[in-house]
Amino acid sequence: MSTFLRPLSYQYPWLYNTISRLSALAVGGEKRFRSLSLEGININSNSKILDLCCGSGQTTEFLVQKSSQVTGLDASSTAINRAKQIVPEANYVNALAEKMPFPEEEFDLVHSSVALHEMETEQLREILREVYRVLKPEGIFAFIDLHKPTNVLFWPSLATFMWLFETETAWNLLDTNLVNELKAVGFKDCEKHLYAGGSLQVIQARK
Ligand SMILES: C[S@@+](CC[C@H](N)C(=O)[O-])C[C@H]1O[C@@H](n2cnc3c(N)ncnc32)[C@H](O)[C@@H]1O
């Protein structure tokens, strides 16, 4: 379940961004939050990058500083239109992550920030298969998302956040072993790192 604040946060970008910035304090601020999933990945100005479920371009903004070939994809045309205004350096596609309009082996890197927790279980599996399909051989899927805290002190803040803003799919993600899901699709070299008392997970996996 969630509260009236969830639709409001999607309607008013200032509210969404304020919540994101406050949440990011747990890892030292938004800049660090947006770069955590990219740490250690070799990105150059020609790397073809997909920002999957890019929203209004919150991380796209950081990706375009690293490469001139960034594409943002989101199911919401409202979010895509906002992203086009805020981060015009990227290309954008309004489409479903589980049915991407890209050929096979298109991207060096697929990135996603705090989006997978919005997916139903089977939908999530379809998306992982699609990510695998559009990645070049040896390409990397890197993402950050919610995780079940390992430090009990982080449970109250995560539970409050989830109660206010998230739906059942986010609770389900806490019980999902994403490394196993990635391996089932064919990904290898899956590396998982936890932050903010375990309430955030970063996973990098190679095709
Ligand atoms: C919580 S927001 C994250 C936005 C942004 N990546 C960020 O870091 O703030 C989740 C985004 O996923 C998008 N989304 C949800 N389901 C989707 C799907 N099946 N395909 C593509 N985008 C989807 C939503 O429209 C929303 O913009």
Side-chain angles (χ1 to χ4, degrees):
M1 77 167 246
S2 61
T3 65
F4 69 99
L5 287 172
R6 180 181 169 83
L8 282 187
S9 73
Y10 274 128
Q11 192 175 349
Y12 298 107
W14 65 265
L15 179 59
Y16 181 94
N17 291 334
T18 302
I19 297 157
S20 293
R21 284 182 193 130
L22 287 175
S23 310
L25 290 176
V27 292
E30 187 169 24
K31 193 171 175 198
R32 178 148 194 267
F33 175 80
R34 300 281 168 200
S35 64
L36 278 179
S37 58
L38 305 173
E39 275 179 8
I41 299 176
N42 200 3
I43 300 174
N44 63 51
S45 58
N46 291 319
S47 299
K48 287 194 91 174
I49 302 176
L50 174 64
D51 189 11
L52 189 64
C53 305
C54 63
S56 307
Q58 287 89 349
T59 305
T60 324
E61 189 176 346
F62 291 81
L63 293 169
V64 295
Q65 294 169 20
K66 296 176 181 289
S67 168
S68 60
Q69 298 202 56
V70 178
T71 301
L73 178 146
D74 201 281
S76 158
S77 56
T78 308
I80 287 289
N81 287 335
R82 283 186 191 135
K84 281 180 181 170
Q85 290 183 341
I86 299 166
V87 194
E89 299 89 342
N91 298 311
Y92 293 97
V93 176
N94 182 199
L96 289 174
E98 56 270 44
K99 206 169 181 210
M100 292 193 244
F102 303 120
E104 287 178 18
E105 303 185 359
E106 180 77 354
F107 296 99
D108 297 294
L109 169 66
V110 176
H111 160 273
S112 188
S113 52
V114 284
L116 298 183
H117 68 266
E118 300 209 342
M119 312 305 166
E120 302 287 347
T121 304
E122 195 42 48
Q123 183 186 21
L124 176 64
R125 289 181 177 145
E126 280 175 51
I127 291 170
L128 298 185
R129 286 195 288 270
E130 271 293 83
V131 171
Y132 191 86
R133 183 183 70 77
V134 302
L135 272 173
K136 293 179 185 174
E138 302 295 316
I140 291 177
F141 181 32
F143 61 87
I144 185 165
D145 219 306
L146 304 174
H147 187 269
K148 195 181 273 186
T150 48
N151 180 337
V152 69
L153 296 178
F154 282 76
W155 260 116
S157 53
L158 181 69
T160 305
F161 169 80
M162 297 211 359
W163 173 69
L164 289 173
F165 295 104
E166 298 300 345
T167 64
E168 201 59 33
T169 57
W171 291 98
N172 290 342
L173 190 87
L174 300 190
D175 290 323
T176 302
N177 185 328
L178 285 169
V179 168
N180 284 350
E181 297 290 339
L182 287 160
K183 285 181 179 169
V185 168
F187 282 98
K188 59 186 181 186
D189 303 340
C190 301
E191 282 194 24
K192 171 173 164 178
H193 297 280
L194 299 182
Y195 299 91
S199 59
L200 284 173
Q201 60 183 321
V202 164
I203 298 184
Q204 297 176 344
R206 189 178 297 278
K207 177 169 175 178

